[in-house]
Amino acid sequence: MAKLSDIIEDFIKEMFNDSNNNIIFIQRNELADQFRCAPSQINYVLTTRFTYNKGYLIESKRGGGGHIVIKQLEQDSSNMREEIINQSIGSTITYHNAVDILNNLFELNIIIDKEYELMKIAINDRTLISTENRNKIRADILKAMIMVSLS
C-alpha cells in the first residue's frame, strides 16, 4: 500500500499532466480535507517532493482564501546547465540533494538510465573516501558530469 505522501505527490503531479500547464494552484486546507489528513502533511509533501532541485518552485499566496502556486520549472538546456551548476549545486552539495537533481534530470529524459546510475555511483559516499572535503568534491564531480550531459 502506498504511503499517503506518495499518493498526494502523485495527485499533484497528475494535476500538472491534466492542466497541460507548468503552473497549478492548490488550497492546502481543501487538499488536506480531500485526503483526510492534517494540512501539515500537505506542507511536508510540498517541501520534500516539490523542491527546486526536483524542478519545482513553490509560492504561497495569502489573502482572499489564499492558495499555493506550484510552478514546474522550464527546462531550457542553455539556461538549465547554468541554473543547476550555480544555484542548485553551488560549491558543495550533499549526496541526498545531488540525487534529487539527478532524479529530476532522469525524469525529464535529459539523462538515460545508465548515465543516471553512473553519476550516482561517482558521487556516493563510498566512492568519495575523503570525509573532509566530500561535499566539495561531490559538487565538482557533479558539475563536470552535468556539463557533459547537457552539452
Side-chain angles (χ1 to χ4, degrees), residues 23 26 33 42 48 58 61 64 72 82 92-93 100 103 105 107 113 119-120 132 134 137-138 142 149 151:
I23 299 174
I26 62 169
D33 289 343
I42 304 301
T48 60
I58 306 288
K61 303 289 184 181
Q72 194 170 27
E82 218 170 293
T92 68
I93 192 166
D100 283 348
N103 284 334
L105 294 174
E107 286 177 10
D113 187 46
M119 288 179 177
K120 278 186 10 183
E132 186 176 321
R134 182 178 292 155
I137 294 167
R138 182 184 346 266
L142 187 59
S149 294
S151 60

Side-chain angles (χ1 to χ4, degrees), residues 89 91-95 125 128 130-140:
I89 299 173
S91 60
T92 68
I93 192 166
T94 64
Y95 178 73
D125 287 345
L128 304 171
S130 168
T131 57
E132 186 176 321
N133 295 318
R134 182 178 292 155
N135 289 341
K136 182 181 180 343
I137 294 167
R138 182 184 346 266
D140 291 342

Side-chain angles (χ1 to χ4, degrees), residues 10 14 23 32-33 54 68 77 111 121 124:
D10 291 342
E14 190 60 36
I23 299 174
D33 289 343
K54 293 180 181 179
I68 297 171
S77 64
I111 58 175
I121 290 169
N124 93 23

Side-chain angles (χ1 to χ4, degrees), residues 73-127:
L73 300 173
E74 294 288 328
Q75 299 301 333
D76 179 285
S77 64
S78 61
N79 294 329
M80 183 173 17
R81 180 176 47 218
E82 218 170 293
E83 279 184 29
I84 292 171
I85 289 172
N86 295 330
Q87 295 175 9
S88 297
I89 299 173
S91 60
T92 68
I93 192 166
T94 64
Y95 178 73
H96 176 75
N97 288 339
V99 170
D100 283 348
I101 292 169
L102 294 177
N103 284 334
N104 186 37
L105 294 174
F106 181 70
E107 286 177 10
L108 293 168
N109 295 317
I110 293 170
I111 58 175
I112 61 173
D113 187 46
K114 190 177 270 188
E115 289 173 315
Y116 171 77
E117 293 301 329
L118 285 169
M119 288 179 177
K120 278 186 10 183
I121 290 169
I123 62 170
N124 93 23
D125 287 345
R126 281 189 238 151
T127 305

Side-chain angles (χ1 to χ4, degrees), residues 29-69:
N29 291 337
E30 287 180 13
L31 205 54
D33 289 343
Q34 181 176 344
F35 287 101
R36 296 186 181 133
C37 66
S40 61
Q41 181 73 35
I42 304 301
N43 283 350
Y44 170 78
V45 171
L46 293 175
T47 58
T48 60
R49 311 282 177 97
F50 294 89
T51 65
Y52 184 79
N53 289 345
K54 293 180 181 179
Y56 297 93
L57 184 63
I58 306 288
E59 295 177 13
S60 183
K61 303 289 184 181
R62 302 191 188 277
H67 59 275
I68 297 171
V69 180

